[in-house]
Every structure is written in structure tokens, then in C-alpha cells.
Amino acid sequence: MAAIDAHEWLSLIDISGPFLAPPVLDDKFPQGFDGLEGKKKTEIRQAYEEWVEAIDDDDPEVEALHGAWIDLVLKDILEWDENRDGESLKRAGPVIDALTYENLEHGASVSPSYVLVDDRSGDQPFIFVQALPPGSDLDAAPEGSGWAASHTERLIELLRHNEQRLG
């Protein structure tokens, strides 16, 4: 794979709050990231176009396609679980349960959707991922919640609670 400019890829995503800040990424990934080439790049572009089209058309399968898109990004593009064995990328179970933040004042809790763990250091959490429905406003509170904190603020609280820097 060809190396890409250190933070060129950040221009392709919506960055909100302290997440994906270049200094934190440089600290956690000093080796940088590899670029995508050939067949893999074509497959990803096609999957992305299918995902966007499903969102735009209010496709009844949008939830399944959204989950498949998130899996593709995390497992295949970032290669956090390309063997699909759940060794490094945790989605459910005791690791996620232990990281849940409970806001007792508002009767709400926040858990990461995925956690990338460092299997070389006893499965210590490395990066938290919060998956939200397509079109979610990161600066708004979830509908029907008694806690006025936005999605971004909730993830910040989750990270602070677990003494993590990257989400």
C-alpha cells in the first residue's frame, strides 16, 4: 500500500470536537497510515456510493447497509479486525460493558459501540468508536433523552470516565 499524507484523509470526514485531532493521532499512530490501491479502493468506493444512495432514497435496508458500511470501514479499511475474529475490535460483551458511563443525575448511560483494544497490553482500550444512525447531528442530544448533552458531549464524558483520549 502506498503511504498517504499524514492527515490528508481527515479532509474526507466530519471532524467534531476533540476527536481525531492530529496531535492525538500522531501520538497513537506514529507510523502513520497506509493508502488504498486497486481492487480494494474500487470496492470501497462502490460500497460508499451504495450506502449514500440508500440514505438519500430512504431505503428500507438503510440500517443494515449502515452497519455493513461501519464494519467495512473499521474491519477492512482500517484493518482493525480484517480476520473477523473479534481479537482486537470488540463490539459487545464484558469489555464494552465495563466501559459504560452512567450519568445517574439524568438516568442515562453511554457505551462505546466498538472498542479497539491493544492485545499486546492485556486488551487495554485504545480507541472508542460510537456508531450513530446516518444523518445524526453530533451537536444535538438524542431525541427522547432526559440528558441534554449532545452526542459529542456524551462521548467526551465516556472518554473522560475511562481516561481515554481517542474516540
Side-chain angles (χ1 to χ4, degrees), residues 22-144:
V24 175
L25 287 170
D26 289 341
D27 179 53
K28 294 288 186 179
F29 297 100
Q31 76 283 1
F33 295 96
D34 290 334
L36 297 172
E37 294 179 357
K39 184 179 177 186
K40 194 171 192 177
K41 188 173 187 176
T42 301
E43 290 172 2
I44 291 166
R45 182 163 287 144
Q46 289 172 342
Y48 174 76
E49 289 170 2
E50 181 180 347
W51 174 69
V52 169
E53 185 177 319
I55 293 168
D56 291 345
D57 294 345
D58 290 325
D59 187 312
E61 299 294 318
V62 73
E63 191 172 317
L65 287 168
H66 185 61
W69 172 247
I70 291 169
D71 280 351
L72 178 73
V73 169
L74 297 178
K75 296 176 180 180
D76 296 333
I77 297 173
L78 294 174
E79 299 177 349
W80 287 357
D81 190 20
E82 62 185 336
N83 295 333
R84 305 208 182 266
D85 58 8
E87 188 76 23
S88 297
L89 186 65
K90 307 296 182 185
R91 182 170 187 171
V95 172
I96 297 287
D97 294 343
L99 299 171
T100 298
Y101 168 67
E102 299 283 342
N103 182 305
L104 300 176
E105 180 181 346
H106 295 98
S109 64
V110 182
S111 297
S113 304
Y114 300 85
V115 175
L116 180 65
V117 297
D118 184 355
D119 53 4
R120 294 168 292 167
S121 64
D123 285 346
Q124 289 299 309
F126 189 62
I127 297 176
F128 287 23
V129 176
Q130 190 70 50
L132 300 172
S136 294
D137 182 353
L138 300 179
D139 296 319
E143 288 186 32

